[in-house]
Amino acid sequence: MRPPRRRASQSEDLVPEFWYNIVPDLPKPLPPPLLPDGRVPPREMFERLFAKSLVEQEFSSERFIRIPEVVRDTLISLGRPTPLLRARRLEELLGTKARIYYKYEGVLPTGSHKVNTAVAQAYYNSIEGVERLSTETGAGQWGSALSLAGALFKLKVRVFMVRSSYEQKPYRRVLMELYGAEVVPSPSRLTKAGLSVLERDPNHPGSLGIAISEAIEDVLSDEKARYSLGSVLNHVLLHQTVIGLEALKQLEELGEELPDYVIGCVGGGSNYAGLAYPFLRFKLSGRRKDMRFVAVEPRACPSLTRGVYAYDYGDTAGLTPLLKMYTVGHRYRVPPIHAGGLRYHGDAPSLCLLVAEGLVEARAYHQTEVFEAGAIFARTEGIVPAPESAHAVKAAIDIALEAKRSGESPVILFNLSGHGLLDLQGYLEYLEGRLVDYEPLEIDISYLPKVNV
Ligand SMILES: *Cc1c(COP(=O)(O)O)cnc(C)c1O
């Protein structure tokens, strides 16, 4: 008998022709975005910020949405379908009978899944006559993905990068500038929002909230510019479903039925939803009610495990419409953990609804145990996980060990959303035993908007 195969094929026709929109399959209607006074914001408000096609997708209730051919072609040229691999040496090390598979998004040029939506967003903006995209970035993952997509679709890109990251993480900035983007340390003198912060404190380190305010103000002052977001919104999650749609076919190719566990880390929810939603369909339709879905977050920013399910602002500054989500509150001062992509106060509304309904469960981990899992994965499978992705690795290891104790042999699938080769500082601190495990801060929701009462 031939040994079981270790990796699925990467034939081009595994890349789907349609994205999967989970909204019509949700067990309850998705709560709409609201203005602080409780009204539903008019479409024009979104259309001033985002390309029209993206706003349409944001509110769509069609189950399948066709991927434009140019977008699908571009995704293929950038490396899709991504690999689906079995982590055999990890299984052996753990001594588990569980079969562990992972979908590896780190092969994409900027090192993570984010380019899947960046390409789609740049495409729609380009055909609608937009000339420039503006966005914010913390550590630089989203900024580099959008900079690449802008280069491919001949759009100018301006990225407001949190000043502390701009100074401490020069490599991501170099990447963005190589792709031709303009990277502006935030707070900047380009916007009133930036100027007013600098007036009070010329050495302000910046924050994601300030950077968002600057990007939005920048877009509102330029008719030919639009804003772009890398997570949380429905259309972003939609674009990421290429991950799970490919994985469905690849697992089948390896002779597996549907997995027993689908795992991923959650910042805003896009890589996890991208992998999980095409599988969740089978649970929602009742065909595989026993499948378990596990979302993993940092203990230091525990929106799903300790947050409240309420309407809150999407940004730290309180400029955006309100979204119904599990939130630790937009004023929560997230401790400086290395997994920058997971330092968001809320999560995508559809994912939160699924957690509220008990269809997705959540776990939270400290960063030392997460980096330890990342190191184990590097030593067994060879890939250094991004600190964000290492959260998913940690959960997969724990679930495999739980199965060992109970004598079960589940099929586990997780998303390795990116590699960590530009995040070695965190691994250095892990090796030197210097990582700090921040306890969650007190969650104060007294200031949340009144629509909640
Ligand atoms: C940004 C990022 C995340 C978190 O964002 P989601 O929208 O939750 O996916 C996770 N992993 C990597 C590698 C990232 O760059």
Side-chain angles (χ1 to χ4, degrees):
M1 210 175 83
R2 282 197 304 166
R5 282 173 59 195
R6 203 181 190 293
R7 71 184 292 155
S9 77
Q10 286 175 259
S11 156
E12 281 180 25
D13 41 78
L14 290 171
V15 178
E17 289 175 2
F18 292 84
W19 288 301
Y20 169 55
N21 178 18
I22 201 170
V23 171
D25 292 334
L26 290 172
K28 282 187 179 168
L30 190 62
L34 291 179
L35 294 170
D37 63 7
R39 283 181 306 136
V40 176
R43 278 283 172 104
E44 300 79 65
M45 205 176 134
F46 291 97
E47 288 174 355
R48 182 58 191 83
L49 286 178
F50 301 100
K52 277 202 173 70
S53 323
L54 297 171
V55 178
E56 208 166 288
Q57 290 176 358
E58 188 60 27
F59 295 101
S60 172
S61 49
E62 302 247 331
R63 187 168 285 115
F64 291 99
I65 295 175
R66 186 176 278 283
I67 305 178
E69 214 162 290
V70 184
V71 171
R72 187 170 175 274
D73 266 10
T74 307
L75 293 176
I76 290 169
S77 74
L78 295 177
R80 301 215 72 86
T82 55
L84 179 107
L85 295 133
R86 180 157 170 202
R88 293 279 298 282
R89 282 183 302 265
L90 177 63
E91 292 169 15
E92 275 162 31
L93 178 84
L94 301 175
T96 177
K97 289 209 181 70
R99 297 195 293 285
I100 306 176
Y101 294 90
Y102 62 99
K103 182 75 169 153
Y104 184 39
E105 292 292 299
V107 296
L108 297 171
T110 57
S112 84
H113 66 287
K114 290 205 172 69
V115 87
N116 298 325
T117 184
V119 163
Q121 293 189 40
Y123 166 76
Y124 287 116
N125 277 284
S126 74
I127 61 167
E128 291 182 24
V130 173
E131 290 174 4
R132 188 168 69 83
L133 292 174
S134 194
T135 195
E136 72 285 333
T137 199
Q141 273 283 9
W142 169 238
S144 38
L146 194 69
S147 301
L148 167 58
L152 299 176
F153 290 96
K154 304 191 170 51
L155 293 167
K156 288 186 211 142
V157 174
R158 180 179 284 163
V159 182
F160 289 92
M161 186 172 191
V162 177
R163 182 184 298 275
S164 54
S165 303
Y166 181 91
E167 282 160 6
Q168 286 158 24
K169 303 199 170 174
Y171 297 142
R172 287 259 167 221
R173 168 170 45 115
V174 173
L175 197 53
M176 290 184 261
E177 288 176 352
L178 265 181
Y179 290 133
E182 179 192 0
V183 186
V184 180
S186 165
S188 78
R189 301 195 168 277
L190 289 184
T191 66
K192 287 192 203 115
L195 273 172
S196 84
V197 175
L198 288 174
E199 254 163 43
R200 276 175 279 140
D201 178 3
N203 298 315
H204 198 289
S207 72
L208 216 46
I210 297 168
I212 293 176
S213 313
E214 290 207 271
I216 291 178
E217 188 184 325
D218 179 33
V219 164
L220 293 179
S221 68
D222 178 355
E223 189 49 51
K224 292 282 186 190
R226 290 291 180 273
Y227 179 57
S228 209
L229 259 184
S231 189
V232 181
L233 298 182
N234 293 333
H235 67 267
V236 180
L237 273 54
L238 174 79
H239 300 156
Q240 292 295 355
T241 58
V242 292
I243 303 172
L245 291 165
E246 288 173 8
L248 259 173
K249 292 197 214 163
Q250 287 172 310
L251 266 186
E252 191 185 319
E253 193 186 284
L254 295 183
E256 293 291 2
E257 316 248 309
L258 292 168
D260 299 294
Y261 290 88
V262 182
I263 303 168
C265 67
V266 174
S270 74
N271 88 85
Y272 183 54
L275 177 70
Y277 285 4
F279 290 94
L280 248 161
R281 253 192 105 194
F282 295 89
K283 188 176 175 96
L284 294 171
S285 71
R287 267 177 63 192
R288 270 293 304 271
K289 280 194 180 148
D290 59 317
M291 283 172 89
R292 288 175 66 180
F293 291 85
V294 182
V296 193
E297 61 183 12
R299 288 257 303 168
C301 188
S303 45
L304 293 173
T305 48
R306 291 180 180 219
V308 287
Y309 189 41
Y311 272 99
D312 192 6
Y313 292 98
D315 64 317
T316 325
L319 293 174
T320 69
L322 307 170
L323 300 172
K324 177 112 187 239
M325 55 188 180
Y326 279 97
T327 176
V328 290
H330 65 276
R331 292 187 199 157
Y332 186 90
R333 298 180 77 92
V334 186
I337 51 169
H338 285 281
L342 307 188
R343 298 181 67 225
Y344 182 62
H345 64 274
D347 293 299
S350 59
L351 181 61
C352 293
L353 187 148
L354 289 160
V355 170
E357 294 297 309
L359 293 156
V360 172
E361 54 201 283
R363 297 187 177 204
Y365 292 111
H366 274 309
Q367 64 176 351
T368 303
E369 53 190 348
V370 164
F371 274 94
E372 181 184 31
I376 290 171
F377 196 78
R379 288 167 197 170
T380 48
E381 301 303 317
I383 300 168
V384 179
E388 293 84 1
S389 321
H391 286 74
V393 177
K394 170 64 180 161
I397 289 176
D398 276 9
I399 288 167
L401 290 174
E402 288 159 20
K404 179 179 174 178
R405 285 190 289 273
S406 60
E408 289 167 279
S409 49
V411 174
I412 298 170
L413 171 66
F414 72 89
N415 199 358
L416 194 66
S417 53
H419 70 68
L421 291 178
L422 290 178
D423 306 283
L424 292 180
Q425 184 62 35
Y427 281 96
L428 176 65
E429 290 176 26
Y430 162 72
L431 290 173
E432 294 178 346
R434 290 196 281 128
L435 285 174
V436 181
D437 282 340
Y438 301 95
E439 286 303 330
L441 308 175
E442 197 192 321
I443 293 169
D444 171 15
I445 51 157
S446 59
Y447 61 83
L448 287 194
K450 300 274 178 293
V451 291
N452 289 306
V453 292

